Amino acid sequence: MADITKAKRIVVKVGTSTLTYENGKTNIRRMSKLVSVLADLANSGKEIVLVTSGAIGVGVGKLGLGSKPSDTSGKQAAATVGQCELMFMYDKLFSEYGYVVGQLLVTKSDFEDGQRRENLSNAFEKLFEYGAIPIVNENDSVAVEEIVYGDNDTLSATVASLVNADLLVIFTDIDGLYDSDPRENPDAKLIPVVEKIDDSILALAGGAGSKRGTGGMVTKVHAAQITSKAGINAVVMNGQAPQHIYKLLEGKPQGTLFKAK
Ligand code: GLU
């Protein structure tokens, strides 16, 4: 298994519930903290890819819709608005640290088609070469299958495999995977390491996430199945304190580590 302290290429995924308030407005403090940590990691020589959710959630806030639309075209329209706002924020915040960002909006089919997959991979490699930070989201205004079935956890694992990342970090609104639902059981214990993802682990992950996001824990475990098979470690940890990634990279366990095969 790859040594986390030696990870150079790191894919970081951040969810809607971490990036926004309940009303859909961007959580500026969290975004600023996240960007300062990622820029600092880039300064230390790491290659960072950011997979960001929040387009729909932020669009809902910006359009003043009150809650996430239930129809697909409503979600798509909200995503077009929110994606601009997200990129505006990332561009502004990363540039404070001298970093240029590049936006990649992708759909599942881009990874499945050989030629498009290769084009995508080449674009990532060029961005690394240029020292820019690739920022990825699903192309929500056209990718109907993403909004209806998909999630950015799976997308982040697919991106991690494509770029041959050394590590995937999924920032979410909970500390990691617990042995029972911590929202219902105050004695629930965090599981620090998952050696193998089997039915019992999948059963623990059942249940939905927040109203603003899409996935919940189950999609994170599915993501970890993809990375594990690809020989990549994945860590699910709390996005409220992104600076804890420093400890992780120093070899101090954080959140839940899903070990690479
Ligand atoms: N791509 C969606 C968005 O940006 C989010 C999907 C997810 O929450 O996993 O709103």
Side-chain angles (χ1 to χ4, degrees):
M1 191 197 66
D3 180 352
I4 289 186
T5 63
K6 298 207 174 76
K8 178 170 164 71
R9 190 168 282 189
I10 305 171
V11 175
V12 173
K13 185 261 169 176
V14 62
T16 306
S17 56
T18 304
L19 293 170
T20 62
Y21 289 104
E22 287 281 343
N23 61 10
K25 301 253 191 240
T26 49
N27 187 323
I28 297 171
R29 187 172 42 174
R30 289 245 185 92
M31 284 186 90
S32 310
K33 219 196 282 177
L34 173 73
V35 169
S36 78
V37 169
L38 298 183
D40 193 39
L41 289 176
N43 275 355
S44 76
K46 310 283 185 199
E47 290 170 331
I48 304 293
V49 177
L50 176 60
V51 177
T52 187
S53 298
I56 299 171
V58 170
V60 167
K62 221 175 167 187
L63 289 164
L65 302 180
S67 63
K68 194 158 134 180
S70 50
D71 58 322
T72 299
S73 53
K75 285 179 202 158
Q76 291 180 320
T80 65
V81 173
Q83 183 65 28
C84 293
E85 174 76 7
L86 277 179
M87 286 312 293
F88 170 75
M89 291 288 291
Y90 285 126
D91 193 23
K92 175 178 148 61
L93 293 169
F94 271 108
S95 68
E96 282 175 15
Y97 302 101
Y99 281 96
V100 169
V101 298
Q103 171 185 253
L104 297 104
L105 293 180
V106 294
T107 61
K108 228 188 266 173
S109 51
D110 295 321
F111 292 90
E112 286 159 2
D113 177 278
Q115 186 60 54
R116 270 145 76 191
R117 191 182 163 84
E118 197 184 320
N119 293 343
L120 197 53
S121 162
N122 292 342
F124 273 111
E125 291 306 325
K126 269 292 168 207
L127 286 166
F128 291 133
E129 198 184 306
Y130 294 157
I133 313 268
I135 301 186
V136 187
N137 195 359
E138 184 93 28
N139 194 353
D140 291 323
S141 57
V142 298
V144 177
E145 77 269 33
E146 191 276 337
I147 293 176
V148 180
Y149 305 112
D151 62 89
N152 274 11
D153 296 318
T154 312
L155 173 64
S156 68
T158 313
V159 168
S161 309
L162 180 79
V163 302
N164 289 316
D166 302 306
L167 177 66
L168 169 66
V169 173
I170 296 183
F171 281 129
T172 187
D173 55 3
I174 190 168
D175 287 346
L177 179 68
Y178 282 81
D179 62 0
S180 63
D181 189 341
R183 289 169 298 191
E184 278 155 25
N185 177 10
D187 296 326
K189 287 201 178 52
L190 183 77
I191 301 174
V193 183
V194 173
E195 299 280 347
K196 190 169 166 276
I197 301 168
D198 53 20
D199 289 347
S200 68
I201 294 293
L202 284 166
L204 283 180
S210 77
K211 280 202 244 18
R212 282 163 297 139
T214 303
M217 193 50 76
V218 72
T219 52
K220 291 169 183 57
V221 175
H222 284 146
Q225 281 179 311
I226 297 172
T227 44
S228 171
K229 253 188 230 148
I232 302 165
N233 287 310
V235 175
V236 175
M237 58 192 279
N238 203 319
Q240 280 187 32
Q243 69 277 15
H244 289 170
I245 198 172
Y246 295 126
K247 295 191 198 163
L248 177 72
L249 295 171
E250 282 162 12
K252 298 180 194 121
Q254 302 294 313
T256 301
L257 164 65
F258 293 87
K259 278 195 177 176
K261 262 196 194 145

